[in-house]
Amino acid sequence: MFRLPFRALLALLMLAGTVPVRADELADAQRLWLAQRRGEAVAQVEAALKKTPDDLRLRFALGVMTMELGQQARARALFQALTQEHPDLADPHNNLAVLQAAAGDLDGARASLEQALRLQPDHQQAQENLGDVLLRLATRAYERAAQGPAPTTPSVQNKLQRTQSLTRDLNLSH
């Protein structure tokens, strides 16, 4: 599965040069989240955002929290806005890609990950996620090749079986 662990949230919270965040409110929200009081954590971040609606770290935190809570549409809207307003940051592109891939938009996910990697070539999570997306794209290509009008070659069938097996083993199925 595409990964965006909560540690990604913690890493972004260290961003320098962003709009000042009320550190105590964000730290409180993090403690609530880690204590499995997730609804309270989200409420804490939302309340802080009412005071500082443009705060990048709070908005990113809310995106990660809503994503982890399964609120994909809301998380996608948050990350899409962040990529538009802060196109120079890799993390929102990576997170948007995770949501795009989960929704089956592999081409969009690939584009988002490639943008993240243009911005930050050493972004390990984006590298891993791009590998996952490329594997799924390869599987899709082999599936299409196998469905063509001409009989499929043994090499296409072999490649298809191998990519499908690897996709299953890595838990990357659609």
Side-chain angles (χ1 to χ4, degrees):
M1 178 155 63
F2 299 93
R3 291 160 186 79
L4 182 68
F6 192 70
R7 69 178 178 268
L9 167 63
L10 301 176
L12 189 73
L13 298 178
M14 307 305 270
L15 279 177
T18 60
V19 177
V21 68
R22 298 180 185 273
D24 55 335
E25 291 174 333
L26 189 52
D28 288 346
Q30 286 178 281
R31 282 191 286 280
L32 290 168
W33 185 269
L34 294 173
Q36 303 302 313
R37 295 167 57 191
R38 296 185 169 184
E40 293 174 62
V42 170
Q44 179 85 24
V45 171
E46 290 172 335
L49 276 169
K50 287 181 182 175
K51 298 173 194 169
T52 55
D54 294 328
D55 189 288
L56 171 62
R57 291 177 284 183
L58 287 170
R59 291 172 64 203
F60 188 86
L62 184 59
V64 172
M65 289 176 177
T66 56
M67 187 172 159
E68 296 232 353
L69 291 172
Q71 299 171 6
Q72 301 334 36
R74 184 176 183 199
R76 188 171 179 156
L78 287 163
F79 290 125
Q80 184 69 50
L82 286 172
T83 63
Q84 292 169 354
E85 295 166 28
H86 301 278
D88 56 330
L89 296 177
D91 284 306
H93 289 282
N94 179 63
N95 294 20
L96 178 60
V98 169
L99 293 164
Q100 290 168 317
D105 179 8
L106 299 178
D107 297 313
R110 179 181 182 178
S112 292
L113 289 165
E114 288 173 346
Q115 179 60 21
L117 291 167
R118 273 190 290 279
L119 294 167
Q120 188 180 340
D122 63 343
H123 194 297
Q124 290 178 321
Q125 197 62 60
Q127 289 285 1
E128 180 180 350
N129 289 340
L130 181 59
D132 293 345
V133 167
L134 291 174
L135 181 59
R136 286 180 60 191
L137 284 168
T139 301
R140 183 176 74 184
Y142 293 136
E143 287 170 349
R144 289 178 179 168
Q147 295 171 354
T152 59
T153 64
S155 74
V156 169
Q157 286 298 326
N158 186 31
K159 290 173 186 178
L160 176 59
Q161 290 171 353
R162 286 177 179 229
T163 58
Q164 286 174 332
S165 176
L166 186 54
T167 300
R168 273 191 309 275
D169 291 349
L170 296 174
N171 205 19
L172 300 175
S173 298
H174 312 334

